[in-house]
């Protein structure tokens, strides 16, 4: 048994496929590459592939990670070449590395920060947005009302919950006027995290009420554990 950790992308073409469909797509590619994938035992065996985190629908990434368990050794160049050639347009294999420690922690347990770049609409009022970010960063507390559909006893009802969104920021949001983009560094912990769209809404809701959230593009650029890339800690 051996495990490869891979760094892959989810590009614009796959922006609107769910995390589950993306995971299934990667598994089909592993089978197409004829790699000796390991499967769980039992009545309904599953390919042993685990992801660092589930990416929300509509978000692209340059930093998706998966651990792929194999039943026998395959050298790195061969693994990289076979998997890379089997991937469709919309996924690129950037790096692949063998895990030395087979008793490693899961990536979910290691990740403590996610970095996002939010591309804003071209017609945004840059002066207003700069001022909105400045006021947001100066505030000690920013309460955001999170809404989601309820489950079990609350099924079918919209559930609202107030959160202090600033508790989930690893650094103040930074607006790049030239690129017209917003850099977000978000904490990831056992208490959860916030979505980049929620932070953008919290910045704009008070100061730019007519902001069109449908026109933003969000890309996750990094997923880190204690400041390091998930392949660099292997």
């Amino acid at each position: 048994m051996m495990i490869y950790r891979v760094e892959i992308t989810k590009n614009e073409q796959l922006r609107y496929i769910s995390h589950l469909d993306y995971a299934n797509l990667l598994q089909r590619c592993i089978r197409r590459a004829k790699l000796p994938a390991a499967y769980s035992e039992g009545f309904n065996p599953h390919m042993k592939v685990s992801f660092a985190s589930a990416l929300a629908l509509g978000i692209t990434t340059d930093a998706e990670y998966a651990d792929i368990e194999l039943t026998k050794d395959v050298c790195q160049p061969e693994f990289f070449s076979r998997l890379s050639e089997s991937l469709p347009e919309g996924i690129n294999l950037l790096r692949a590395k063998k895990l030395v420690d087979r008793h490693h922690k899961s990536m979910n347990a290691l990740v403590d920060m996610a970095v996002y770049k939010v591309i804003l609409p071209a017609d945004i009022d840059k002066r207003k947005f700069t001022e909105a970010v400045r006021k947001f960063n100066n505030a000690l507390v920013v309460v955001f009302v999170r809404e989601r559909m309820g489950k079990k006893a609350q099924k079918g009802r919209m559930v609202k919950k107030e959160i202090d969104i600033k508790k989930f920021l690893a650094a103040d949001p930074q607006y790049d006027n030239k690129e017209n983009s917003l850099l977000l560094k978000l904490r990831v912990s056992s208490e959860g995290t916030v979505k980049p769209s929620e932070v953008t809404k919290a910045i704009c809701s008070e100061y730019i009420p007519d902001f069109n959230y449908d026109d933003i593009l969000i890309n996750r650029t990094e997923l880190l554990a204690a400041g390091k890339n998930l392949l660099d800690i292997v």
Side-chain angles (χ1 to χ4, degrees):
M1 290 281 189
M2 62 166 303
I3 298 173
Y4 269 103
R5 178 164 297 171
V6 297
E7 184 179 55
I8 51 180
T9 66
K10 182 181 183 184
N11 301 338
E12 182 70 25
Q13 301 94 321
L14 303 180
R15 183 180 167 196
Y16 290 110
I17 74 165
S18 69
H19 177 71
L20 180 60
D21 287 338
Y22 180 74
N24 289 335
L25 178 60
L26 179 61
Q27 290 181 25
R28 286 200 297 275
C29 294
I30 293 168
R31 284 194 288 271
R32 192 183 308 140
K34 299 188 185 308
L35 290 166
Y39 285 80
S40 62
E41 296 181 353
F43 201 68
N44 187 20
H46 296 282
M47 189 183 290
K48 292 187 174 180
V49 177
S50 59
F51 284 79
S53 68
L55 199 64
L57 201 66
I59 298 179
T60 59
T61 184
D62 303 323
E64 183 63 274
Y65 298 90
D67 286 345
I68 302 170
E69 187 169 330
L70 304 180
T71 56
K72 58 184 179 182
D73 195 6
V74 177
C75 68
Q76 197 278 348
E78 182 182 354
F79 175 89
F80 190 95
S81 173
R82 286 166 63 177
L83 182 56
S84 187
E85 289 172 4
S86 73
L87 296 175
E89 194 172 347
I91 306 181
N92 296 322
L93 175 60
L94 302 178
R95 292 194 292 165
K97 202 169 178 181
K98 283 183 187 178
L99 292 187
V100 177
D101 181 7
R102 288 188 54 197
H103 303 289
H104 62 281
K105 283 186 176 179
S106 72
M107 291 188 285
N108 270 331
L110 293 170
V111 170
D112 58 14
M113 187 194 299
V115 182
Y116 294 89
K117 185 176 184 179
V118 181
I119 305 296
L120 301 164
D123 60 352
I124 193 173
D125 185 327
K126 293 184 176 181
R127 184 189 58 77
K128 273 188 180 179
F129 194 79
T130 300
E131 183 62 9
V133 172
R134 188 188 69 77
K135 290 181 176 177
F136 177 90
N137 287 341
N138 286 341
L140 294 178
V141 175
V142 175
V143 175
F144 179 80
V145 180
R146 175 178 282 166
E147 296 183 353
R148 64 172 177 81
M149 291 303 295
K151 297 178 180 177
K152 297 181 179 178
Q154 295 177 319
K155 191 173 183 179
R157 293 163 46 195
M158 187 63 74
V159 179
K160 297 183 179 182
K161 181 182 179 182
E162 288 189 350
I163 58 170
D164 176 10
I165 213 161
K166 299 207 77 171
K167 287 184 177 177
F168 296 95
L169 301 183
D172 285 343
Q174 298 294 318
Y175 176 52
D176 186 325
N177 191 300
K178 291 181 180 176
E179 285 196 354
N180 196 29
S181 65
L182 185 67
L183 179 67
L184 300 176
K185 295 182 177 181
L186 309 182
R187 294 184 196 279
V188 180
S189 71
S190 56
E191 296 179 4
T193 186
V194 287
K195 298 176 182 176
S197 59
E198 292 177 329
V199 181
T200 308
K201 286 179 182 177
I203 291 173
C204 295
S205 59
E206 185 173 348
Y207 309 109
I208 313 177
D210 57 347
F211 186 88
N212 187 353
Y213 300 100
D214 293 335
D215 288 344
I216 63 174
L217 296 172
I218 302 174
N219 184 55
R220 188 172 69 197
T221 59
E222 291 182 280
L223 205 54
L224 303 171
K228 292 185 178 178
N229 180 287
L230 293 181
L231 254 74
D232 294 337
I233 60 174
V234 173

